[in-house]
Amino acid sequence: MQAGNVAKLNEQLQSDPVLAPGHTYGSIEEKINTIPLPLTKRASKGWVLGFSIAFALLMLLFYSLGVLFARGLGVWGINNPVYWGFAIINFVWWIGIGHAGTLISAILLLMQQNWRNSINRLAEAMTLFAVACAGLMPIVHMGRPWLFYWLVPYPNTMAMWPQFRSPLAWDVFAVSTYATVSLLFWLIGLVPDFAKMRDRATDRTTKILFNILSLGWRNSSRHWHRYEMAYLLLAGLSTPLVLSVHSIISLDFSVSIVPGWHMTLFPPYFVAGAVFAGFAMVLTLVIPIRKFYKLEDFVTMKHIENCCKVMLATGMIVFYGYMMELFFGWYSAHDVEFFLINNRFFGPYAWAFWALMLCNGVAPQLMWFKPLRRNLPLVWILSLVVGVGMWLERFVIVVMSLHRDYLPTSWDAYTPTFWDISLYVGTFGLFFSLMFLFIRFLPMINIFEMQLLRHDQKHQVEGGFGASEEA
Amino acid sequence: MKQIYGVMAEFEHSEQIIEATRRVYEAGYRSMDVYTPFPMHEIFHELHEHRTWVSPITMVGGLTGLVGGFMLQTWTTVIDYPLNIGGRPLFSWPSFIPITFECMVLLAAFSALIGMIALNGLPQPYHPVFNVPGFERSSQDRFFLCVESTDPKFDAAETARFLGSLGAQRVVEVEA
């Protein structure tokens, strides 16, 4: 009985491991660390090509910002009823993408889902870079972005304070706290790995650089003990934080009385949407990276499948949200709400609504099937489809609700201009430039956590499982 | 006599280091530390490291943020800059909750991080253990145990012999 169970577990580990068999502590460290090290080695052709494209797009971002600052918000397509255009759509979209990183690093840590160890560093980096793109958007949308610091409560000569009853002020605190805590979490995770890079490096400059970055970390168990506690506490703090951030962002909409925004369902529905989009982005990044850097041993099919399952689950929650939006509109028996539903189905932007249903409602249903979840090209394309779908969702919420509200006299259409689009495309430049630099110069997988995973795996097979059966 | 920091033993397997830590602790040594590539709960247990100050520090930081954030909003909206909006109450505390929560998380996170770094005595770019040749492998695949010379039971020769008897690959003196 006991032997049978161990054999079964062994078989399970062999067929669908979170870490391919045959690795030692040393081989894990060497494999991951020699991707960035030595720092002076020539980058691969593929990297140079990818980084060049990303960098060109980053320049487009700077150019678009320059035009925006020089000529003002008039260069965008926003108008009288549609005050919030691309900038707010992009803001919500990017920050939503970031949420998967925190979910993977914090919530899955607390739930002891140790398959997260292979992808949490990358996902956290994704969070940081996505939040950087997101944070830019509301600031440049302000009209006078150089006065953004007025949102921060500080004693000033105007004797004024921010309006703390406004969700827009909550937003400032939520996003800045989220960005800061994500950065701390990412950096603290990197400290022991910086020490590993110091110990792997052969030249003096690299050693000194990484010794400084690692704070002189020396792998002491007494340090590890406090470190684990701090890491766990940060995870515990990040978990409610990540839920609060997108909830607060959804309150920017739902606290107002605009039809299509004024809905109690928004906070959980936005959080689910964020996780949905974020896991899609994780898959978009991880599938090519594991292939190019030959990391199939560390990021296995198990990870891909798990991400697909999370996508399916959160996608269903989001779809439920869409259905409830329609139901609420009908059930309110309110003319304007009812008109909005009608407008979604048949209005001038109906194409966006139907495309959204296709991308987020229908397409993720493919993930019910195991063979499709294991089909990498399909999963990758689907992750892009979901990314597009989540962008459309925000377009539907922001533009469709604003362009026709209570008074028909104030109706107007919204058409983005070149500068709206170039700014959006430019944020990809920022995101991917940072991503490429991260992949080149830092260990993209958490080394010590992979070694821990290896340690736990060994124990599970050799003793842990059988021992618990005996008792 | 030349001053030394302690005696360091190197082990190849994780099982050995757990066993060795237990034996060294049982032999009465207390000023010791174990160097491993990744955090090992078994070692924390054998070193009798149970409680840390990190969590109380975080708690204090979190409470400071909680109270401070709430007081800031209350003071500014009720006392320093009261705005009458449709006759609604000035002390509209439910709308202060989101920012109060964010302030709590922010301060707690900083406290956890700074508390951990400070308690660990970091940043500390130089430490005597780095003098041990091959100590880089504590980042990779080897496990080190160091009995420090500050321990009352410490005796360079005797301690080294004892560590050697625990199955260590090699035992070296660590220069101070």
Side-chain angles (χ1 to χ4, degrees):
Chain A
M1 172 71 196
Q2 188 196 330
N5 270 322
V6 173
K8 208 164 78 189
L9 183 76
N10 258 323
E11 198 179 301
Q12 208 179 346
L13 285 172
Q14 308 272 297
S15 67
D16 238 359
V18 287
L19 168 64
H23 274 286
T24 63
Y25 302 129
S27 73
I28 291 170
E29 186 270 345
E30 189 177 356
K31 170 83 187 161
I32 301 171
N33 248 348
T34 48
I35 294 172
L37 288 173
L39 291 182
T40 44
K41 77 176 167 197
R42 279 186 82 90
S44 67
K45 281 210 179 74
W47 186 90
V48 172
L49 181 73
F51 182 69
S52 309
I53 296 170
F55 196 73
L57 291 177
L58 178 63
M59 293 302 110
L60 179 67
L61 175 73
F62 288 144
Y63 189 63
S64 309
L65 287 176
V67 169
L68 177 73
F69 292 159
R71 287 164 51 191
L73 286 179
V75 298
W76 287 353
I78 47 176
N79 55 28
N80 194 327
V82 190
Y83 294 104
W84 287 3
F86 262 42
I88 302 301
I89 300 171
N90 299 342
F91 165 64
V92 181
W93 189 75
W94 273 119
I95 206 146
I97 283 175
H99 279 35
T102 320
L103 186 100
I104 289 170
S105 55
I107 300 182
L108 294 185
L109 177 77
L110 296 182
M111 291 179 175
Q112 303 187 336
Q113 296 292 312
N114 56 13
W115 59 272
R116 73 178 259 295
N117 290 8
S118 322
I119 50 173
N120 72 334
R121 170 77 45 77
L122 192 82
E124 282 168 37
M126 181 191 84
T127 296
L128 276 181
F129 307 152
V131 171
C133 294
L136 190 69
M137 289 294 166
I139 291 179
V140 300
H141 193 277
M142 269 190 295
R144 289 187 293 169
W146 48 93
L147 295 178
F148 78 94
Y149 63 89
W150 283 9
L151 289 159
V152 180
Y154 71 103
N156 54 62
T157 50
M158 300 174 288
M160 292 207 304
W161 293 98
Q163 173 55 277
F164 290 118
R165 298 183 191 92
S166 161
L168 299 181
W170 306 347
D171 221 29
V172 176
F173 279 81
V175 175
S176 56
T177 302
Y178 182 52
T180 313
V181 174
S182 301
L183 181 69
L184 293 183
F185 202 55
W186 187 67
L187 279 178
I188 191 66
L190 271 166
V191 163
D193 281 2
F194 282 143
K196 288 185 196 301
M197 291 184 79
R198 170 198 69 203
D199 291 340
R200 164 72 49 186
T202 44
D203 64 303
R204 198 172 151 75
T205 320
T206 315
K207 268 190 187 300
I208 291 173
L209 174 70
F210 283 109
N211 196 31
I212 292 169
L213 288 174
S214 72
L215 310 171
W217 185 261
R218 54 180 189 271
N219 299 313
S220 151
S221 280
R222 296 193 195 275
H223 289 184
W224 276 123
H225 182 236
R226 295 189 192 102
Y227 176 91
E228 271 222 319
M229 179 50 84
Y231 198 71
L232 202 63
L233 284 169
L234 277 177
L237 290 165
S238 304
T239 302
L241 178 66
V242 67
L243 301 180
S244 83
V245 174
H246 230 60
S247 297
I248 288 175
I249 288 170
S250 78
L251 295 178
D252 289 343
F253 296 94
S254 60
V255 167
S256 76
I257 54 161
V258 176
W261 288 6
H262 190 59
M263 203 167 72
T264 49
L265 187 70
F266 263 30
Y269 152 57
F270 265 52
V271 171
V275 174
F276 184 47
F279 268 87
M281 186 56 110
V282 168
L283 285 172
T284 309
L285 297 173
V286 150
I287 290 173
I289 287 174
R290 76 192 274 276
K291 175 119 184 78
F292 288 130
Y293 289 95
K294 301 190 174 54
L295 292 170
E296 282 96 342
D297 283 1
F298 299 151
V299 183
T300 63
M301 286 313 290
K302 175 111 181 151
H303 296 98
I304 308 283
E305 270 206 65
N306 281 355
C307 289
C308 289
K309 285 176 188 167
V310 175
M311 250 169 66
L312 177 62
T314 49
M316 302 279 277
I317 299 174
V318 172
F319 191 68
Y320 173 80
Y322 301 152
M323 294 300 110
M324 280 301 112
E325 276 186 311
L326 303 181
F327 174 75
F328 286 6
W330 171 72
Y331 197 68
S332 68
H334 189 294
D335 284 349
V336 182
E337 290 280 355
F338 204 83
F339 173 73
L340 177 90
I341 303 305
N342 200 33
N343 212 15
R344 284 205 173 158
F345 286 149
F346 310 111
Y349 297 110
W351 59 267
F353 177 76
W354 294 112
L356 165 65
M357 289 297 121
L358 190 68
C359 292
N360 286 2
V362 179
Q365 304 307 323
L366 295 175
M367 295 290 96
W368 285 103
F369 306 103
K370 195 180 172 95
L372 300 182
R373 287 198 301 266
R374 301 183 80 89
N375 183 338
L376 286 177
L378 180 88
V379 170
W380 193 72
I381 290 166
L382 193 75
S383 73
L384 295 179
V385 168
V386 168
V388 172
M390 284 312 292
W391 193 89
L392 286 170
E393 179 198 304
R394 279 68 183 247
F395 182 87
V396 165
I397 290 172
V398 172
V399 174
M400 217 183 263
S401 305
L402 281 175
H403 91 291
R404 288 180 174 179
D405 65 353
Y406 297 98
L407 282 176
T409 49
S410 63
W411 290 1
D412 203 352
Y414 169 78
T415 319
T417 64
F418 173 80
W419 299 112
D420 278 306
I421 296 162
S422 67
L423 191 73
Y424 177 51
V425 175
T427 52
F428 283 97
L430 178 61
F431 181 81
F432 282 105
S433 297
L434 290 168
M435 208 65 191
F436 273 108
L437 289 174
F438 161 70
I439 289 170
R440 171 65 186 87
F441 292 112
L442 293 177
M444 68 180 115
I445 296 178
N446 196 322
I447 302 170
F448 81 83
E449 287 192 333
M450 289 306 283
Q451 290 173 324
L452 189 62
L453 192 67
R454 161 90 181 83
H455 182 67
D456 290 345
Q457 214 177 45
K458 205 163 82 176
H459 273 243
Q460 222 174 7
V461 178
E462 283 171 5
F465 192 76
S468 69
E469 276 297 294
E470 249 170 330
Chain B
M1 200 184 102
K2 130 182 115 143
Q3 199 66 34
I4 61 166
Y5 173 78
V7 174
M8 174 91 83
E10 178 180 339
F11 295 87
E12 201 181 342
H13 298 294
S14 57
E15 295 78 16
Q16 287 177 318
I17 190 76
I18 297 166
E19 175 68 16
T21 313
R22 178 160 67 242
R23 297 274 298 278
V24 173
Y25 193 91
E26 276 170 0
Y29 291 103
R30 291 296 177 269
S31 296
M32 59 194 256
D33 206 342
V34 179
Y35 301 86
T36 56
F38 51 91
M40 289 173 74
H41 288 235
E42 302 90 335
I43 300 285
F44 303 157
H45 183 72
E46 301 303 346
L47 284 174
H48 296 255
E49 283 277 7
H50 297 300
R51 302 172 64 88
T52 85
W53 278 99
V54 175
S55 16
I57 290 172
T58 310
M59 180 82 179
V60 170
L63 287 177
T64 311
L66 186 87
V67 175
F70 193 80
M71 296 298 276
L72 171 80
Q73 296 177 80
T74 308
W75 180 73
T76 54
T77 43
V78 179
I79 297 162
D80 196 51
Y81 191 50
L83 282 176
N84 186 339
I85 301 165
R88 290 185 180 82
L90 289 175
F91 182 59
S92 50
W93 66 269
S95 56
F96 301 161
I97 298 301
I99 294 182
T100 305
F101 172 77
E102 302 299 334
C103 292
M104 179 202 74
V105 170
L106 187 67
L107 260 77
F110 269 109
S111 313
L113 186 75
I114 294 171
M116 182 273 285
I117 290 172
L119 288 169
N120 282 349
L122 301 174
Q124 190 182 6
Y126 171 77
H127 191 272
V129 293
F130 291 131
N131 292 331
V132 174
F135 189 68
E136 301 87 61
R137 293 191 73 176
S138 70
S139 277
Q140 294 158 7
D141 56 355
R142 288 297 162 93
F143 306 86
F144 293 81
L145 190 156
C146 182
V147 177
E148 289 145 27
S149 59
T150 49
D151 194 279
K153 250 182 86 81
F154 182 84
D155 174 273
E158 176 52 35
T159 307
R161 197 172 318 121
F162 176 59
L163 288 178
S165 73
L166 298 173
Q169 291 263 309
R170 64 190 175 111
V171 179
V172 288
E173 285 189 356
V174 185
E175 287 169 36

